Amino acid sequence: MNSNTFDAGYLDGELAAITGLPARRAMARASMADQHDPLYAQGYADGYLNATAVNAALRQTGKAAS
């Protein structure tokens, strides 16, 4: 396992947030992945949370694309 698994998880997490996956399901996926690839799981959670935070900030400033 290497940083490529973190990057893959990060991208998957971002895509999950963008497509509207509920946080509860996203964190459940990260938890299940943690048993097999902790770097992927950390990347997934980080990507999901980052995409969610960016979207929230854009919505506050009124610049989010709906």
Side-chain angles (χ1 to χ4, degrees):
M1 289 179 261
N2 56 36
S3 66
N4 289 339
T5 61
F6 179 88
D7 294 341
Y10 196 91
L11 178 62
D12 288 347
E14 286 181 317
L15 292 174
I18 291 168
T19 59
L21 184 71
R24 181 181 227 167
R25 289 191 62 197
M27 294 306 117
R29 286 182 181 180
S31 179
M32 287 185 286
D34 189 51
Q35 299 171 18
H36 303 285
D37 189 347
L39 280 176
Y40 177 89
Q42 185 62 53
Y44 187 92
D46 288 353
Y48 183 87
L49 294 173
N50 181 61
T52 301
V54 167
N55 190 43
L58 290 173
R59 285 181 184 268
Q60 282 186 335
T61 61
K63 297 179 182 176
S66 297

